Every structure is written in C-alpha cells, then in structure tokens.
Amino acid sequence: MKKMVFIFLFILGCTFTVSIPASAQCAMCSINAEQGTKNGNTQGKGLNSGVLYLLALPYLALAGVGVLWYKKYRNKSVSHD
C-alpha cells in the first residue's frame, strides 16, 4: 500500500513540476480579449487567471475526495488489526 501511495504522489509531483506553454483560451476569446485591452478595456487581463482557476477546482475536489477515501480506508484497516 505504501508503494502505491508513493508511486501516486511521485506521478502527481511530476505532473505539477512540468509546465508546457499553452494558450488557455479559444481563438475567439483571445482575439476579443486582446482587442479589448488594446482599446483600453481592462476586463480581458484576468482571462488567463480565470481559466486556470476554473481548471484547478475539479482537481482540488478530486484530491479532497481521495484524501477522505484514504482516511476512511485506513481507519477500517487499522481497526481490524
């Protein structure tokens, strides 16, 4: 069990340490945001941050469920011994 947890954490760590540059919006959204900021509109400046925020929430929820599942499983295995 410890080996599986170590492998999972290793893969998870490798996933978060590797960064690949990518466009976070579709072509239409990025063109509108670029044109808006050129014309003095400040609403498009936070578009990338908003996309990353929305992307992070499902992963955090999944991690929370995983932690709860692990604690529940660990408590059941400890109580039987």
Side-chain angles (χ1 to χ4, degrees):
M1 180 66 179
K2 288 183 181 182
K3 187 176 182 180
M4 287 177 46
V5 171
F6 176 75
I7 291 172
F8 174 74
L9 291 176
F10 179 75
I11 291 172
L12 188 68
C14 289
T15 303
F16 286 117
T17 57
V18 176
S19 65
I20 300 170
S23 296
Q25 311 96 349
C26 65
M28 185 178 256
C29 295
S30 63
I31 289 172
N32 284 335
E34 288 173 9
Q35 291 299 324
T37 54
K38 286 180 185 176
N39 295 332
N41 189 358
T42 59
Q43 291 177 346
K45 290 185 178 182
L47 189 60
N48 282 337
S49 300
V51 169
L52 292 175
Y53 176 73
L54 290 172
L55 180 69
L57 287 178
Y59 288 107
L60 290 174
L62 186 63
V65 169
V67 167
L68 290 174
W69 176 77
Y70 175 73
K71 284 187 175 186
K72 184 177 179 181
Y73 178 76
R74 192 172 128 216
N75 286 340
K76 283 184 177 180
S77 66
V78 170
S79 64
H80 289 292
D81 291 334

